[in-house]
Amino acid sequence: VSTQSTGVAMSREKILQIEEELARTQKNKRTEFHVGQLKARLAKERAALLEPSSKGSSEPGFDVKKFGSARVALIGFPSVGKSTLLSTVTETESQAAAYEFTTLTCIPGVVNYNDCKIQLLDLPGIVEGAAEGRGRGRQVIAVAKSADLILMVLDAAKEGTFYKHQEILEAELQSVGIRLNCSPPDIYFKIKPTGGVKFSSTLKLTKLGDDPQQLLKRVLQEYKIHNCEIVFREDCDIDQFIDVVQGNRKYVRCVYVFNKIDVISIEKVDQLARRPHSVVISCKLKLNLDTFLAKIWDYLGLVRVYTKKKSQPPSFQEPLVLTTGRNGVTVQAACEQIHKDIIDNMKWAYVWGTSAKQIPQKVGLKHQLHDQDVLQIVLKTAEEQRQEKNYSQRVQDYYDKYHEKKKKKKPLKT
């Protein structure tokens, strides 16, 4: 048995022992410090288990280049209709069959919706224990961490029975640091070289017991952190604080897609459709796919911005697509998508659309744009740029970068 396999087995055994002790421990005021330490130790061991070894993993990952305005990952158990869904809403053909584990690698497709290209990834079905590497679970979860939206595909006929696929998948994603449909806790945390643990809060904390400071110190002892500053701006529990200390959590939106509604009763369909963050479809009969695509669009929060030149009509062919999850939906984000030098040379901008208080509105870099706004950027003249204080420094920086690129260029083969 290799050293790597032995280390993984020991980590799994430790996680199992901590989970058993956590289940045995009664939750009350006397045990809250001990429970907090156990949760911190469990998070530490799970993070160590997910870290790649220095020698590299024996199994290759899914190398899929990002394409389009956003990336959406299909996650679910085998044979729930992920491949059929990809083939239905995109032009990509993913192999679908009646047996399990038909898809063995990551298959990308592109959804063309509202003048935008959205990358849809069909991932292999995951099983219980995927967080520990079962059934290529680590590779699937790694792709899910890079996605802007997760579509959890579930079998409508099995959901609500003894299978409990939704709960299992949520637990697997939770254990690897993926937080579904929630925002990062508003906690300021910074490690310092000296000064001890400085704790303060802007509101009354009701989820950390009678002595929050002592509880947080016990958790920090597990990470060997003895000097730091903590400010709570939100009433959070100990799990949220551990997430902040870990610093590697991924907060992503998730839509629960219940497929195969053609085999269940209308009452069950109505019950599933009323669940939060859910949509019901049938890939076989192509039912409710328009609502499904509209839900993806809403959850991604994409904003289309059309550009306009002076004294010319706007171009409605290829919009700039901004998203709240990546770089924001400000004028600055739109400028960066066109060219990074535009921000330094921009004088102001004009906006037409629902975000403007008047038509047109003169705005700056911080203005928040809405979907289908029209943007015209006004740049400084050459004379105005020369009159700026840092003009000489900017010219020198540009000159240095140009010659540095020239040196890196390989000589032509003769």
Side-chain angles (χ1 to χ4, degrees), residues 84 110 130 249 333 363 398 410:
T84 309
V110 178
R249 302 312 192 213
V363 299
Y398 183 83
K410 294 179 180 179

Side-chain angles (χ1 to χ4, degrees), residues 33 187 197 199-200 205 208 211-222 225 228 230-232 236-238 241-242 245:
F33 295 156
I187 301 173
V197 177
F199 168 76
S200 62
L205 302 176
L208 295 175
D211 193 354
Q213 187 169 358
Q214 190 61 30
L215 176 59
L216 299 182
K217 281 184 178 179
R218 290 284 187 93
V219 170
L220 292 171
Q221 283 174 5
E222 291 295 326
I225 299 172
C228 65
I230 308 164
V231 181
F232 273 70
C236 301
D237 56 24
I238 196 64
F241 177 69
I242 291 170
V245 175

Side-chain angles (χ1 to χ4, degrees), residues 157-198:
K158 293 180 180 178
E159 194 56 37
T161 60
F162 61 91
Y163 287 100
K164 296 182 180 179
H165 285 176
Q166 182 177 338
E167 292 180 16
I168 294 168
L169 290 171
E170 285 176 345
E172 292 294 329
L173 296 176
Q174 178 83 10
S175 66
V176 296
I178 298 177
R179 303 291 178 257
L180 302 177
N181 295 323
C182 62
S183 55
D186 194 1
I187 301 173
Y188 174 78
F189 175 75
K190 187 176 182 181
I191 299 174
K192 295 195 170 183
T194 57
V197 177
K198 293 181 180 179

Side-chain angles (χ1 to χ4, degrees), residues 9 45 77 80 87 98 107 131 159 168 181 241 257 259 286-287 294 307 316 324 341 346 365 380 386 392 399:
E45 290 296 334
F77 276 81
V80 293
S87 303
I107 300 172
E159 194 56 37
I168 294 168
N181 295 323
F241 177 69
V257 183
N259 189 22
K286 297 184 179 179
L287 297 175
T307 54
F316 293 108
T324 51
D341 291 341
M346 193 186 96
L365 290 170
K380 298 170 187 173
R386 279 194 289 269
S392 302
Y399 177 84

Side-chain angles (χ1 to χ4, degrees), residues 308-314 352 376:
K308 175 188 179 303
K309 291 183 180 178
K310 187 179 178 182
S311 304
Q312 291 185 17
W352 291 259
Q376 179 189 329

